[in-house]
Amino acid sequence: MSNPHQLALRCLFNPPIPLSRPLLPTLAAYQQRLQDVWAKHWLTNRGDQVCELSQVLQNRLGASHVSLFCNGSLALLLGLKALELEGEVITTPFTFAATTHALHWAGLQPVFADISPDTLTLDPAAVEAAITPRTSAILGVHVFGIPCHVAALADIAARHKLKVIYDAAHAFGVEIAEQPISAFGDMSMFSLHATKLFHTAEGGLLTYKDAKLEKQLHLLQNHGISGEDTVELAGTNAKMNELQAAMGLCVLELVEEERKKRKKLVAAYAEALSAMPGVQMVLPGVEVTPSYQYVPILFSSDAALSRDVATARLRSLGIHARRYFRPLLSAVCPYDALPSSIPSNLPCSRRTVENILCLPLWGGMPDNLPEVIAKAIGS
Ligand code: T4K
């Protein structure tokens, strides 16, 4: 005999439910934008679409300066270069690999500090304890769109004369007490990858306060070339192209509607998971306007299933939840050899990476999914 829970678990999703699904404009809307690109025969190197998107995003994000890139990883790398940082940069091991790799490629030494259990972002006390005479900056990650402890980090940075850079890959549209997330720190990087709420298929965006960085970033992303016969520095190619920007301009028109749908789904998850022992949604504080980018949940020993058993059960139902962000970057070569990677330095990060799970979230996903997932992991 089957009980009602077991009956519900039999309804498999085929094709499987992905973690996220890109927000897409109608083909007609995209084609309309492309008509202008075709008419001008201009595909990249600061065309009209890129300039328009840059202007629109500057207003939308309330940022004094913005620069667009071909992806978020190169945006972050070139942002670090433009700031002319040296030596050590204190950062979190609980992030996507691109954060730490950007430091590596910029010739900087990552120094891992532990995260706070409330936000899963850098613990300010651990950051302060990690400062040495070689420290030049703090690279925080607003992981899952949950803001770092921005006030405490700003205070530490001011006292020790450090730069603050935020990896805001997941934080498009996030505000803290109505202040845009880009208002905090010297520079923020937003990923515009297809998996993000707002995307350009592939893409990246830097916001920053120092006007002088704009020219430097342009040189760095355009081979260091400033004129037909002038190469000023050793740059690379990291430009956004017109097809990406046209996609972004179309997607931007859909973002608010998508946010509303995701907000409802997040509320449904909260309701479905509320009475479940040992399973807790990781949510930003009440003063935060969320990005609705991910639905991270944490398992504790009171949960009916462990994180890994729950993940496997969901997968057997055709639901692709993801164990973001595993492994910790402190456990990955070459960073595992760093003194700050020693496990005793990172207890909260280690606990988190063993117990975190991100549940599917995209506007068009089935309405009953939060309930199905709650049933699957709660029994
Ligand atoms: N910093 C942080 C904190 C980041 O999270 C990231 C990127 C970066 C920096 C670097 O930014 P970018 O250089 O990427 O702009 C994905 C993304 O590729 C990556 O952008 C993102 N973070 C990371 C968290 O997620 P994967 O390897 O986990 O993605 P994948 O292919 O497994 O797709 C995830 C889900 O989305 C699946 O359910 C399938 C679905 N999907 C994916 C794509 C690409 C679709 O339905 N359609 C699609 O087109 O890395």
Side-chain angles (χ1 to χ4, degrees):
M1 284 289 281
S2 306
N3 69 30
H5 282 180
Q6 285 165 329
L7 281 176
L9 296 184
R10 276 198 205 139
C11 52
L12 299 183
F13 291 96
N14 192 10
I17 301 285
L19 182 77
S20 68
R21 180 171 279 180
L23 185 54
L24 282 177
T26 61
L27 258 184
Y30 191 47
Q31 268 169 351
Q32 201 171 347
R33 276 262 159 211
L34 294 185
Q35 269 170 13
D36 187 52
V37 177
W38 257 242
K40 290 176 177 153
H41 283 249
W42 195 270
L43 296 180
T44 186
N45 293 6
R46 269 213 202 183
D48 288 347
Q49 303 288 323
V50 165
C51 291
E52 186 178 339
L53 182 62
S54 180
Q55 190 61 56
V56 173
L57 287 173
Q58 188 173 348
N59 297 336
R60 179 103 168 212
L61 296 173
S64 42
H65 301 280
V66 310
S67 298
L68 288 167
F69 295 82
C70 58
N71 61 51
S73 302
L74 281 170
L76 185 55
L77 165 59
L78 297 186
L80 296 168
K81 290 289 238 185
L83 288 168
E84 297 180 347
L85 302 176
E86 288 180 345
E88 299 171 357
V89 175
I90 299 171
T91 192
T92 168
F94 183 63
T95 182
F96 190 61
T99 314
T100 320
H101 293 339
L103 291 171
H104 177 84
W105 281 92
L108 296 161
Q109 175 162 339
V111 174
F112 295 117
D114 206 6
I115 57 175
S116 305
D118 56 344
T119 60
L120 310 185
T121 66
L122 278 175
D123 174 356
V127 169
E128 187 137 30
I131 293 172
T132 74
R134 296 193 67 229
T135 309
S136 61
I138 301 165
L139 171 55
V141 179
H142 303 306
V143 72
F144 307 132
I146 300 167
C148 291
H149 295 279
V150 290
L153 293 179
D155 174 58
I156 293 169
R159 283 189 283 107
H160 294 272
K161 298 195 171 32
L162 306 175
K163 297 278 187 212
V164 180
I165 303 104
Y166 285 117
D167 179 333
H170 313 155
F172 187 84
V174 170
E175 293 181 351
I176 307 176
E178 295 182 9
Q179 270 204 288
I181 196 76
S182 60
F184 303 95
D186 296 284
M187 179 179 274
S188 297
M189 181 283 287
F190 298 81
S191 166
L192 309 183
H193 182 264
T195 50
K196 303 299 178 289
L197 171 73
F198 167 63
H199 72 89
T200 56
E202 289 272 6
L205 167 73
L206 286 180
T207 62
Y208 44 94
K209 293 178 183 149
D210 182 353
K212 289 196 294 295
L213 294 178
E214 188 164 3
K215 182 183 174 213
Q216 195 69 0
L217 286 166
H218 180 56
L219 286 172
L220 283 166
Q221 72 168 191
N222 188 34
H223 316 280
I225 294 173
S226 60
E228 279 188 18
D229 305 314
T230 321
V231 181
E232 289 194 35
L233 50 78
T236 185
N237 181 359
K239 292 162 279 154
M240 178 175 279
N241 69 47
E242 290 291 272
L243 307 187
Q244 290 173 291
M247 174 65 84
L249 285 160
C250 291
V251 171
L252 209 47
E253 292 187 14
L254 311 174
V255 161
E256 271 324 298
E257 196 51 38
E258 174 73 7
R259 278 171 64 90
K260 282 188 197 142
K261 290 183 189 163
R262 291 187 183 202
K263 187 177 179 179
K264 271 175 95 174
L265 289 161
V266 169
Y269 271 122
E271 165 85 24
L273 297 169
S274 61
M276 193 164 293
V279 174
Q280 187 206 336
M281 277 175 81
V282 188
L283 294 166
V286 286
E287 73 289 5
V288 174
T289 308
S291 61
Y292 301 112
Q293 176 64 57
Y294 293 106
V295 181
I297 59 171
L298 272 172
F299 288 72
S300 69
S301 53
D302 299 341
L305 306 175
S306 70
R307 187 273 311 268
D308 290 342
V309 173
T311 309
R313 183 180 281 192
L314 290 174
R315 198 142 283 233
S316 73
L317 296 173
I319 299 167
H320 286 193
R322 290 287 288 270
R323 292 175 287 190
Y324 283 148
F325 285 101
R326 178 186 125 121
L328 284 183
L329 271 296
S330 51
V332 166
C333 180
Y335 317 117
D336 56 350
L338 294 169
S340 61
S341 293
I342 182 167
S344 58
N345 188 40
L346 306 165
C348 185
S349 306
R350 287 168 54 226
R351 220 173 27 250
T352 302
V353 83
E354 291 307 321
N355 293 299
I356 193 95
L357 185 65
C358 282
L359 303 177
L361 183 64
W362 35 280
M365 76 181 207
D367 289 344
N368 68 339
L369 201 66
E371 212 186 318
V372 173
I373 289 177
K375 276 186 183 151
I377 65 180
S379 55

